[in-house]
């Protein structure tokens, strides 16, 4: 194999590598755009009031469908509540 053929083989190999890197960066860029949008929506929700008094803050601030906190047994004197959807728990002093 001559130098010309070796150069062309290397160029083709490098072109494949560059294309793969480009695709990886494009996918990462799209993910970052989606993450940024989620953060922006979260910032907006932080300035809003919850839809109900028993709304799960975890679901609300992460943009999930509204879910309620329901009372669950507690081994303390405080009230304990758990989200039906995500499992978030909170203990409230009484």
């Amino acid at each position: 194999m001559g130098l010309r053929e070796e150069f062309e083989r290397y160029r083709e190999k490098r072109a494949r590598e560059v294309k793969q890197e480009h695709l990886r960066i494009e996918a990462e860029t799209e993910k970052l755009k989606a993450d940024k949008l989620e953060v922006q929506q979260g910032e907006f929700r932080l300035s809003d009031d919850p839809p109900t008094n028993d709304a799960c803050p975890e679901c609300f601030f992460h943009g999930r469908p509204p879910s309620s906190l329901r009372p669950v047994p507690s081994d303390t004197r405080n009230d304990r509540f758990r989200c039906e959807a995500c499992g978030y728990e909170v203990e409230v002093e009484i």
Side-chain angles (χ1 to χ4, degrees), residues 54-64 67 69 88 90:
D54 64 347
C56 172
E58 181 78 13
C59 290
F60 179 74
F61 290 117
H62 287 279
R64 299 181 192 128
S67 185
L69 295 171
Y88 174 82
V90 62

Side-chain angles (χ1 to χ4, degrees), residues 22-73:
H22 180 83
L23 292 173
R24 185 193 67 76
I25 290 170
E26 285 294 319
E28 188 174 320
T29 299
E30 290 304 312
K31 182 183 180 325
L32 289 172
K33 286 179 184 178
D35 290 349
K36 180 180 178 182
L37 179 60
E38 184 177 331
V39 168
Q40 289 170 328
Q41 291 171 340
E43 288 174 333
F44 177 74
R45 282 188 294 277
L46 286 172
S47 66
D48 203 4
D49 289 329
T52 63
N53 286 340
D54 64 347
C56 172
E58 181 78 13
C59 290
F60 179 74
F61 290 117
H62 287 279
R64 299 181 192 128
S67 185
S68 297
L69 295 171
R70 299 286 183 222
V72 293

Side-chain angles (χ1 to χ4, degrees), residues 2 5 20 27 37 44 51-52 57 61 69 77 79 84-86 88-89 91:
E5 290 84 12
Q20 287 300 313
L37 179 60
F44 177 74
T52 63
F61 290 117
L69 295 171
R77 293 188 50 199
D79 289 337
E84 299 172 322
C86 74
Y88 174 82
E89 285 192 14
E91 191 168 281

Side-chain angles (χ1 to χ4, degrees), residues 2-36:
L3 288 178
R4 183 68 154 172
E5 290 84 12
E6 177 60 25
F7 186 88
E8 287 304 317
R9 186 189 67 73
Y10 184 86
R11 179 195 324 245
E12 290 170 4
K13 175 183 175 256
R14 186 68 184 128
R16 287 189 303 272
E17 293 169 352
V18 167
K19 183 174 182 167
Q20 287 300 313
E21 182 69 3
H22 180 83
L23 292 173
R24 185 193 67 76
I25 290 170
E26 285 294 319
E28 188 174 320
T29 299
E30 290 304 312
K31 182 183 180 325
L32 289 172
K33 286 179 184 178
D35 290 349
K36 180 180 178 182

